[in-house]
Amino acid sequence: MTTFEQSTTRNTLLRTVSPQIFARLAGDMERVDLPLKFVLVEDGVAPSHIYFLEDGLASVVATSSDGEAIEVGHIGREGASGMHVMLAVPATPGRTFIQVEGSAIRVPLNVFTEAVVSDRETREFFLRYVHTTILQLAHSALANARYSVQERLARWLLMCHDRLDGDNLAVTHEFLALMLGVRRSGVTDHLHILEGRHAIRSTRGNVRVLSRDTLLDIAGGCYGVPEREYEKLLGLPSRVR
């Protein structure tokens, strides 16, 4: 049986929550692999577990009634899936699934719910995290409405860079098209522009960040507000490094 130590846990939320609550959850924790396309939250289905990512990257995707889809948020090591349950909503439209394979610590939903219901400090901690995810969604909407494709691409790559180890981002053109809400055929052109500015190097299934500062300059005002709010409210940077 695996013994979980808070000091060595790689998920920011679990590392930050009170030691008493971590100990309460630890007996029911299970570390699991997260293969590509693994579904963490299914459309309209109450989750059985809360997944605290330690590696990899998950996409939160909004889907319309006629099948149009766009990514509205990311979850990495800074977060957890299924946080709509904090708002007393058992199931929600949309899906959350793995875009970059990794691993997570999962906790049964009933165990997590009992912990947050019984402890005000823990409940408020996770509600602050929920606030940051709502803010991320709001700024995705702002970026889609007011910023160019290049600025939005730079923002999403920064968000991926925040949540993955190193500078190599194992993201596909299909994923980038979903992020940006553009045709897959157009993704290559936009990546070439960023390559021309020496911000990235793009190869099949991988984008290497060469200059984070250049990406920040390109993204401008469409990146940074949710990230600063996460650091202010939760006390740790959203970047994994």
Side-chain angles (χ1 to χ4, degrees):
M1 181 177 177
T2 302
T3 301
F4 291 91
E5 299 291 338
Q6 188 170 18
S7 61
T8 58
T9 299
R10 302 186 74 193
N11 179 271
T12 302
L13 295 178
L14 289 180
R15 201 168 65 246
T16 309
V17 75
S18 72
Q20 293 79 9
I21 292 298
F22 184 89
R24 183 170 177 175
L25 298 175
D28 292 282
M29 289 179 182
E30 178 187 10
R31 184 169 279 112
V32 294
D33 292 330
L34 300 175
L36 188 67
K37 303 300 183 184
F38 181 83
V39 177
L40 304 177
V41 177
E42 186 58 90
D43 186 352
V45 178
S48 61
H49 293 80
I50 301 297
Y51 288 82
F52 296 89
L53 274 68
E54 292 195 297
D55 297 288
L57 187 69
S59 288
V60 182
V61 176
T63 305
S64 69
S65 59
D66 57 0
E68 294 293 334
I70 190 169
E71 186 184 67
V72 294
H74 285 165
I75 302 171
R77 195 176 299 163
E78 88 300 338
S81 68
M83 285 294 104
H84 58 276
V85 301
M86 289 297 303
L87 305 176
V89 178
T92 185
R95 302 173 76 232
T96 302
F97 59 91
I98 297 299
Q99 286 283 15
V100 177
E101 64 182 15
S103 63
I105 294 173
R106 70 179 186 181
V107 176
L109 177 62
N110 65 309
V111 174
F112 175 79
T113 301
E114 289 172 7
V116 298
V117 166
S118 64
D119 186 82
R120 178 179 175 180
E121 179 184 351
T122 303
R123 183 166 61 255
E124 291 179 351
F125 172 81
F126 282 106
L127 283 173
R128 288 195 294 272
Y129 171 63
V130 170
H131 165 72
T132 68
T133 66
I134 294 171
L135 191 62
Q136 183 188 120
L137 188 154
H139 278 256
S140 294
L142 175 63
N144 289 338
R146 296 298 186 186
Y147 288 84
S148 70
V149 173
Q150 281 303 299
E151 291 164 329
R152 289 158 48 205
L153 176 57
R155 173 181 181 257
W156 282 120
L157 291 176
L158 286 165
M159 292 171 67
C160 293
H161 195 226
D162 288 343
R163 292 161 172 81
L164 297 170
D165 289 321
D167 295 323
N168 286 303
L169 312 178
V171 294
T172 65
H173 283 204
E174 178 185 7
F175 175 34
L176 294 172
L178 179 64
M179 288 196 307
L180 297 173
V182 300
R183 293 181 181 275
R184 183 176 175 179
S185 59
V187 168
T188 301
D189 294 337
H190 296 295
L191 289 172
H192 284 333
I193 295 173
L194 293 184
E195 285 185 305
R197 295 192 60 174
H198 308 292
I200 63 166
R201 180 180 297 118
S202 176
T203 54
R204 184 178 178 86
N206 188 79
V207 174
R208 179 171 178 79
V209 176
L210 300 179
S211 174
R212 182 177 173 91
D213 286 343
T214 302
L215 287 177
L216 286 167
D217 181 60
I218 295 169
C222 72
Y223 172 86
V225 173
E227 289 73 22
R228 288 190 292 272
E229 189 77 351
Y230 182 97
E231 295 188 21
K232 181 180 76 173
L233 293 181
L234 298 176
L236 284 173
S238 57
R239 291 194 66 195
V240 298
R241 293 166 302 283

